Amino acid sequence: MRNRILTLAALAAAIGSPLAAQAQSDVTIGRAPAVVDSAPTIAVEQRPAFREYVIEQRVPAFRTPDRVVVGATLPESGITYYDVPQRFGATTYRYTVVNGETVLVEPRSRRIVEVLD
C-alpha cells in the first residue's frame, strides 16, 4: 500500500511538472508599456523651435528597420547622441534623429523616452 501511494505521488508529480512548465512557456513575451522617467523634457511650446534647431544643426539621421517608439532601445554604436541646449529646458536626456524623427533618449540605457515629431 505504501509503495502504491509513493508511486501515485511520483506519477502525479511527473504529470504535474510538464503542465507547470508548459503553463510558464505559454506566456507571451512582448514589449511592456514604456514607463518614462519623470525627468523634464522639452516643453510643448518649445518644440517647434527645437525642431528648427535640430534642422539647423544638420544632425545626421540614423536608419533602423525597427519602428521608432517610446521604450525602444537604440544601439550602442553607429549613432551619435547630442546634448539638448539649455534654452529648451534643463533635461538629462540627449537627442538624435532616427528614421527622420527627432527623439529624446536616456543616455545610459539608450532608451527612447519621447518622439518629438
Side-chain angles (χ1 to χ4, degrees):
M1 179 76 165
R2 187 178 208 176
N3 286 341
R4 283 187 182 180
I5 293 173
L6 291 175
T7 303
L8 288 173
L11 183 61
I15 291 172
S17 295
L19 292 176
Q22 182 180 4
Q24 290 176 354
S25 66
D26 285 344
V27 174
T28 302
I29 298 174
R31 275 200 185 147
V35 177
V36 178
D37 299 332
S38 60
T41 61
I42 298 170
V44 174
E45 61 273 2
Q46 288 281 353
R47 290 180 184 183
F50 182 70
R51 283 188 203 105
E52 287 181 34
Y53 169 81
V54 173
I55 291 168
E56 289 171 1
Q57 297 303 305
R58 297 178 187 231
V59 173
F62 174 76
R63 303 294 303 165
T64 181
D66 300 326
R67 289 183 44 218
V68 179
V69 294
V70 172
T73 302
L74 297 175
E76 283 185 62
S77 61
I79 188 167
T80 305
Y81 304 99
Y82 304 91
D83 292 330
V84 175
Q86 281 288 343
R87 70 178 185 233
F88 297 111
T91 182
T92 58
Y93 299 130
R94 305 290 185 269
Y95 78 92
T96 194
V97 178
V98 180
N99 294 351
E101 298 186 78
T102 303
V103 296
L104 291 180
V105 178
E106 199 288 316
R108 287 176 288 146
S109 67
R110 300 172 326 279
R111 184 175 53 91
I112 296 173
V113 295
E114 192 166 356
V115 179
L116 296 172
D117 289 334

